[in-house]
Amino acid sequence: MQFQISHKPSFSLLKLRLGPGQSIKSEAGAMVYMSSRMGVETKMGSGFLSALSRKIFGGESFFFNTYTAPDSGGEIGLAPDLPGDIIDLDLDGKSIFVQSGSYLASDPGIQVVSKFGGLRSLFGGEGLFLLEISGTGKVFLSSYGAIVPIKVEGNYTVDTGHIVAFENSLQFKVGKAGGNWKSTLLGGEGLVANFSGNGTLWIQSRVPSGFISWLTKLLPV
């Protein structure tokens, strides 16, 4: 499978060239264009309960679409709903945790399962469930804004809304941004995720809530 990510980082588009019989699995609604005679199969992914929890708690679509190229091969373009970045990751039997809405596409053999994140995830604004993505193959993640990888060696603090994904070797706790609740509530930063361990963390340079807040101020009363 050959791919190209163009128009980074603001309006990224994932272009894929599939060989005969090759497939790509994507979030429902991500297809922008595709060549003729491309096969399309819609499934719920890892079973009904996983699909249901992914939809209700993870913010993802209920279904996945799998596109398969004909004998002559084919092309397909994929993009997320919001303007922003796309990155590719190679999983080699490992797993990563991804915030809701950031999964775009992957090799068909990659597993996408909703995982309970505990109350720390709820209070952090990321929802009760994260997506655990595992297996061997290529994964494509999207964001609102540019995606920045960070190598964590010890401790690192990130605003919860900027988290895109992190390796399962990292642990996190949600806490106050400032030294006290006054700083947290009035300083505009809200809650943060304090990561510990060794691994890679991916963050997005913008958050949709920030744009919505800015836009709301311009709307007529």
Side-chain angles (χ1 to χ4, degrees):
M1 179 176 62
Q2 299 176 339
F3 72 92
Q4 177 188 9
I5 302 174
S6 60
H7 311 298
K8 288 172 66 70
S10 299
F11 299 96
S12 298
L13 174 67
L14 173 61
K15 305 175 182 179
L16 299 127
R17 174 68 188 180
L18 304 179
Q22 281 190 320
S23 300
I24 184 73
K25 179 171 67 176
S26 78
E27 181 72 359
M31 192 273 292
V32 178
Y33 66 85
M34 63 180 179
S35 56
S36 61
R37 297 191 298 117
M38 185 80 74
V40 183
E41 185 178 12
T42 302
K43 293 183 177 181
M44 287 189 294
S46 303
F48 176 78
L49 292 179
S50 177
L52 183 62
S53 63
R54 194 174 67 246
K55 172 62 178 178
I56 296 176
F57 301 110
E60 302 291 318
S61 170
F62 199 80
F63 299 100
F64 290 117
N65 288 333
T66 299
Y67 301 90
T68 303
D71 293 338
S72 58
E75 296 181 350
I76 184 170
L78 302 173
D81 291 332
L82 294 174
D85 208 352
I86 298 174
I87 61 169
D88 66 286
L89 302 177
D90 288 303
L91 296 187
D92 187 13
K94 298 180 181 180
S95 63
I96 59 174
F97 288 99
V98 178
Q99 74 148 337
S100 61
S102 286
Y103 170 82
L104 179 63
S106 66
D107 284 323
I110 294 293
Q111 298 295 314
V112 182
V113 181
S114 297
K115 288 291 184 180
F116 182 63
L119 292 179
R120 62 181 184 178
S121 179
L122 175 65
F123 294 139
E126 300 304 316
L128 275 172
F129 284 78
L130 296 168
L131 300 180
E132 183 179 22
I133 301 179
S134 60
T136 299
K138 185 75 72 176
V139 177
F140 299 95
L141 303 180
S142 63
S143 71
Y144 179 66
I147 296 180
V148 181
I150 297 174
K151 290 291 185 180
V152 178
E153 297 178 351
N155 298 285
Y156 216 91
T157 299
V158 180
D159 182 287
T160 55
H162 285 267
I163 299 170
V164 173
F166 55 92
E167 293 181 326
N168 65 350
S169 58
L170 294 174
Q171 296 79 44
F172 76 95
K173 294 181 180 179
V174 174
K176 302 186 298 291
N180 52 57
W181 283 109
K182 179 180 179 181
S183 299
T184 299
L185 296 175
L186 302 180
E189 297 302 330
L191 298 173
V192 296
N194 298 304
F195 284 89
S196 62
N198 293 277
T200 302
L201 163 70
W202 292 270
I203 65 171
Q204 56 188 8
S205 62
R206 299 289 188 275
V207 291
S209 59
F211 174 70
I212 293 172
S213 297
W214 175 84
L215 185 63
T216 301
K217 297 176 182 178
L218 302 180
L219 298 177
V221 178

